[in-house]
Amino acid sequence: MSDATRTYSADQLWLADGWSADGAFAVDASGHVAPPEGEAERLGAWVLPGMPNLHSHAFQRAMAGLAERKGRSDDSFWTWRETMYAFAAAIGPEELKAIAAQLYVEMLKAGYTQVCEFHYLHHQPDGTPYAQPEAMSLALIEAARETGITLTLLPVLYMTGGFDGRPLSARQRRFGNDLSSYVRLLEALRRHEGDGLRIGIALHSLRAVPEEAMRGLLATRIAQDLPVHIHIAEQIGEVQDCLATRGARPVEWLLDHAPVDARWTLVHATHLTGHETSRLARSGAVAGLCPTTEANLGDGLFPLSDYLDAKGVLGIGSDSHISISPVEELRWLEYGQRLSTRHRNIAARREGDSVGETLWRAALRGGARAAGLPVGELRAAARADLLVLDDESPLLAARDARSLLDSFLFAGNTPLVRHVMCGGRWVVRDFRHHDEAGIAARYRAVVERLAQA
Ligand SMILES: [Zn+2]
């Protein structure tokens, strides 16, 4: 037994198939799960893997709640986007690092232990690259390392302002790269890969990446075997534009023109026909659902029931960060369906199945696939990213393995995540992140400065 290996136990431990009584596991010196050895330290009644957050634009955390005032009569995603662009213009590496660190602390405390950053704020506001072209990406990597969260960084390829191939607008210029500058960015970032950091690729959307560039990128050597994420079919307008210019709906077009498989995450995929739903499920790709952002932006509802019937893989993301809570994402995933169908317990497939357990299990599995990392499971060689729930909360009193996750998801508005471990390190103890005061002070100074800009 190596000195650095520690063995832990819990009354109930969440393993791949569900709760297991009196489970034990070890964490080795590299922060990965290992077989238990020797005396175990009891962590608590309920220990489960942390949730991967498969879609984040960190900078948007600082504008959450600033676009909730009635504007023009056609208020929609597109008017919200204007507010977001104006806000983004004031953010440089220092601001991004401060905002992301605060965000990641909030994620850890809420039960997310991994985040996929869909990162497109690459250059200076006028579009000129920074002296170090990957400076904004490095700000995110530093924020993740400082807070301890596991990161999959997805630099975004963003080339055109619409399906017609128009150039980027003045406000979009800082997002832009051509294929060669994008590949150089990937090369620079992959040098930082290692413990707790994976690099993947992201196509902003079909409207922002021409077909030829998509093919070119997917054929490069560096892109092989990396996770691939794309925003798709979030808006009806996007579906209509895709039909008009490419003669097919976005998901249909992508499935016909790209090698979509388990390496891919299709973020939102809100507007699907029945045929697209079953094809997407069969592809093995992850549907990246962001229910609180999709509700906030008025996007629409994902066809959850049909997708689960077709054995589709899904995960959750907090996207615009109007809410940072895996519990609330999963709750609203289910509630949206209940409201629109006037039925209950939609996500559970068989009589007697728990909705909370079905959703938590599905989002762990899909989130890990989207992250391209061994997370979301307490099995040997996985990253030791885990949550210890609050045994002392009255909300969890008299709950057993059959009812625990339903109470956690549907009844918990007070935080029920007591301790959080990431990569074998305790990052949250008794509801507090080890560096939360300093990180919050830096965040406050940055947003106060941004508010005056
Ligand atoms: Zn997004």
Side-chain angles (χ1 to χ4, degrees):
M1 176 167 137
S2 79
D3 290 346
T5 298
R6 301 181 79 97
T7 294
Y8 299 101
S9 68
D11 301 349
Q12 295 283 342
L13 187 64
W14 179 272
L15 301 173
D17 297 326
W19 292 113
S20 170
D22 298 319
F25 65 98
V27 177
D28 68 19
S30 72
H32 291 80
V33 178
E37 358 175 301
E39 194 76 7
E41 176 190 339
R42 181 183 174 273
L43 291 177
W46 306 100
V47 172
L48 66 172
M51 181 59 70
N53 184 336
L54 61 63
H55 193 63
S56 164
H57 309 285
F59 77 92
Q60 293 179 14
R61 177 54 181 162
M63 61 169 282
L66 291 182
E68 308 299 325
R69 193 174 288 272
K70 184 97 185 138
R72 301 196 318 247
S73 59
D74 62 345
D75 250 359
S76 69
F77 170 84
W78 307 102
T79 50
W80 170 85
R81 193 176 73 159
E82 283 308 308
T83 309
M84 184 268 283
Y85 280 180
F87 187 82
I91 295 175
E94 185 195 336
E95 290 78 15
L96 184 59
K97 183 179 165 185
I99 295 167
Q102 174 65 21
L103 171 70
Y104 296 161
V105 166
E106 292 173 30
M107 283 187 190
L108 289 164
K109 291 168 73 171
Y112 289 121
T113 46
Q114 186 281 344
V115 59
C116 298
E117 267 298 331
F118 197 100
H119 168 59
Y120 55 84
L121 282 188
H122 298 304
H123 309 306
Q124 299 181 56
D126 67 356
T128 313
Y130 287 98
Q132 189 177 23
E134 68 274 28
M136 293 291 267
S137 297
L138 294 179
L140 293 167
I141 292 172
E142 285 166 20
R145 295 223 159 114
E146 181 177 10
T147 56
I149 202 165
T150 304
L151 173 66
T152 298
L153 180 61
L154 307 156
V156 172
L157 179 61
Y158 202 132
M159 299 175 76
T160 54
F163 278 101
D164 55 7
R166 77 186 80 155
L168 300 178
S169 69
R171 279 177 165 174
Q172 294 169 326
R173 223 160 277 152
R174 68 183 311 199
F175 313 156
N177 275 298
D178 58 24
L179 202 47
S180 56
S181 64
Y182 180 78
V183 168
R184 283 198 301 277
L185 175 63
L186 277 182
E187 286 165 351
L189 294 176
R190 290 209 70 183
R191 288 198 276 275
H192 297 269
E193 267 187 316
D195 188 38
L197 173 67
R198 175 98 207 255
I199 303 297
I201 59 180
L203 310 166
H204 179 271
S205 53
L206 293 181
R207 67 175 182 276
V209 181
E211 179 179 356
E212 200 185 348
M214 178 187 83
R215 287 186 196 287
L217 173 59
L218 293 173
T220 56
R221 221 156 70 103
I222 195 166
Q224 306 309 309
D225 306 322
L226 298 187
V228 186
H229 290 223
I230 183 171
H231 283 137
I232 199 155
E234 179 180 9
Q235 298 294 323
I236 295 283
E238 177 197 340
V239 176
Q240 289 165 341
D241 288 353
C242 192
L243 273 165
T245 55
R246 300 194 184 178
R249 302 168 57 85
V251 169
E252 179 186 21
W253 187 91
L254 188 72
L255 292 168
D256 285 340
H257 292 84
V260 175
D261 60 13
R263 208 155 62 96
W264 286 67
T265 296
L266 276 61
V267 180
H268 305 301
T270 307
H271 300 286
L272 299 176
T273 61
H275 189 55
E276 286 176 306
T277 305
S278 51
R279 283 188 69 192
L280 176 57
R282 276 202 307 276
S283 74
V286 182
L289 308 179
C290 308
T292 63
T293 293
E294 288 153 10
N296 185 268
L297 297 180
D299 290 343
L301 281 176
F302 179 79
L304 180 67
S305 204
D306 290 347
Y307 188 68
L308 291 175
D309 281 342
K311 308 240 177 322
V313 181
L314 62 85
I316 49 163
S318 57
D319 191 2
S320 71
H321 311 305
I322 193 69
S323 166
I324 300 163
S325 161
V327 162
E328 198 183 11
E329 294 305 333
L330 293 172
R331 185 187 299 171
W332 276 99
L333 179 57
E334 170 72 19
Y335 279 173
Q337 308 292 320
R338 293 190 190 186
L339 288 165
S340 69
T341 62
R342 303 195 293 272
H343 282 89
R344 300 188 71 248
N345 302 331
I346 306 295
R349 309 321 294 155
R350 291 171 316 200
E351 200 175 329
D353 278 0
S354 146
V355 173
E357 200 168 312
T358 303
L359 287 173
W360 191 268
R361 179 187 285 120
L364 283 176
R365 173 177 170 228
R369 187 174 289 188
L373 281 165
V375 293
E377 274 189 69
L378 293 173
R379 61 169 165 79
R383 261 181 87 73
D385 291 359
L386 60 90
L387 316 177
V388 182
L389 299 187
D390 181 21
D391 299 352
E392 291 167 27
S393 169
L395 282 169
L396 299 184
R399 295 298 181 268
D400 61 17
R402 279 176 50 80
S403 56
L404 189 279
L405 278 170
D406 289 325
S407 292
F408 180 44
L409 256 61
F410 291 102
N413 283 328
T414 49
L416 294 174
V417 177
R418 187 174 193 108
H419 311 301
V420 180
M421 176 186 281
C422 245
R425 273 175 57 210
W426 290 109
V427 291
V428 173
R429 276 287 201 184
D430 288 319
F431 310 104
R432 290 186 65 81
H433 183 274
H434 58 76
D435 200 17
E436 66 177 52
I439 286 170
R442 211 172 62 206
Y443 172 80
R444 190 169 288 117
V446 162
V447 284
E448 282 169 0
R449 204 163 70 220
L450 290 174
Q452 286 155 12

